[in-house]
Amino acid sequence: DIQMTQSPSILSASVGDRVTITCRAGQSISSWLAWYQQRPGRAPKLLLYKASTLESGVPSRFSGGESGTEFTLTINGLQPDDFATYYCQQYNAYPWTFGQGTKVEIK
Amino acid sequence: EVQLVESGGGLVQPGGSLRLSCAASGVTLSRHDMSWFRQAPGKGLEWVSTLISTDEPFYADSVKGRFIISRDSFRNTLFLQMNSLRAEDTAIYYCARKIGYGYGSDYWGQGTLVAVSS
């Protein structure tokens, strides 16, 4: 199985901040990585796929990067709606695997 | 508008069975890869199973041999037959669509809760 190591587990930030979440794959997954946002009591929402392609309707303050097996999700200018939990997921190979999640909370 | 609506969750005893349904509207399920994911209370997301558009199924090791994914094209509904349920299967189960190769899972249902307890 491909292990996905996501950090940090919790991120405290303020509205307007630039924040970055990192996800490291245990082996090459090409660019087959997605990022999801999940608010409490809600289903996950796809933000980006193929590491850096923004899903339709997602604000441009969200962006994704990659360098080898390390992937990043950056939010430029945190908004109140962005306080949520974020997950990375690889879909390069079955079984698909998720990172442990990063909770972005208000500082 | 694409909508996925799960049903069939509930309380079941260990060793029991449940069949989850995911009814779709605004999308033809047979054209896409369809998946089940789950989330145990207070925990992260876990992939359970995917049925790709060619009808080949894939399963997580934790459910292989116990769960069966299928779809009814006429009813445009995805199913997850869950047998030999264990306490560790307790979770919210979500169905989701993946439009095709290279894409993420873009539409998700609201989830249905499965509780396995005596």
Side-chain angles (χ1 to χ4, degrees):
Chain A
D1 297 6
I2 300 174
Q3 185 171 2
M4 304 301 293
T5 303
Q6 189 175 338
S7 61
S9 299
I10 301 175
L11 195 160
S12 297
S14 302
V15 172
D17 283 355
R18 179 176 188 265
V19 300
T20 297
I21 298 167
T22 299
C23 190
R24 183 171 288 109
Q27 64 189 72
S28 174
I29 58 170
S30 296
S31 299
W32 303 127
L33 183 106
W35 288 98
Y36 297 91
Q37 177 194 66
Q38 188 179 34
R39 298 191 178 99
R42 303 290 297 274
K45 174 186 175 183
L46 178 65
L47 298 176
L48 298 108
Y49 60 93
K50 206 177 174 185
S52 60
T53 302
L54 201 64
E55 172 68 359
S56 175
V58 174
S60 58
R61 63 180 180 273
F62 292 91
S63 62
E66 66 175 297
S67 176
T69 58
E70 185 168 294
F71 299 84
T72 56
L73 170 69
T74 297
I75 310 172
N76 272 300
L78 206 58
Q79 297 299 301
D81 270 354
D82 302 338
F83 291 98
T85 300
Y86 294 84
Y87 295 93
C88 62
Q89 180 224 339
Q90 69 80 18
Y91 53 99
N92 177 69
Y94 294 103
W96 293 348
T97 45
F98 285 87
Q100 303 91 320
T102 296
K103 183 177 181 181
V104 177
E105 61 178 27
I106 301 173
K107 184 186 283 186
Chain B
E1 182 192 2
V2 175
Q3 276 201 317
L4 301 174
V5 180
E6 301 97 335
S7 60
L11 176 63
V12 62
Q13 292 189 335
S17 297
L18 277 178
R19 187 174 83 153
L20 305 184
S21 300
C22 171
S25 58
V27 62
T28 302
L29 292 190
S30 60
R31 294 180 182 170
H32 306 291
D33 299 350
M34 296 299 300
S35 299
W36 289 97
F37 297 87
R38 68 185 180 184
Q39 188 168 37
K43 302 297 184 183
L45 295 168
E46 180 187 13
W47 170 76
V48 174
S49 179
T50 295
L51 186 64
I52 64 174
S53 57
T54 56
D55 278 343
E56 182 177 5
F58 295 88
Y59 297 99
D61 284 347
S62 59
V63 307
K64 201 173 294 183
R66 299 188 299 124
F67 290 11
I68 300 171
I69 189 171
S70 64
R71 67 179 138 218
D72 182 326
S73 297
F74 183 74
R75 287 196 282 170
N76 207 28
T77 300
L78 180 74
F79 300 102
L80 186 68
Q81 177 66 43
M82 305 188 296
N83 301 320
S84 303
L85 282 161
R86 307 167 180 167
E88 54 265 35
D89 296 318
T90 294
I92 296 172
Y93 284 73
Y94 298 99
C95 65
R97 179 195 83 160
K98 185 171 175 287
I99 195 170
Y101 183 77
Y103 292 83
S105 297
D106 58 349
Y107 283 99
W108 294 62
Q110 84 289 349
T112 186
L113 177 62
V114 172
V116 184
S117 175
S118 54

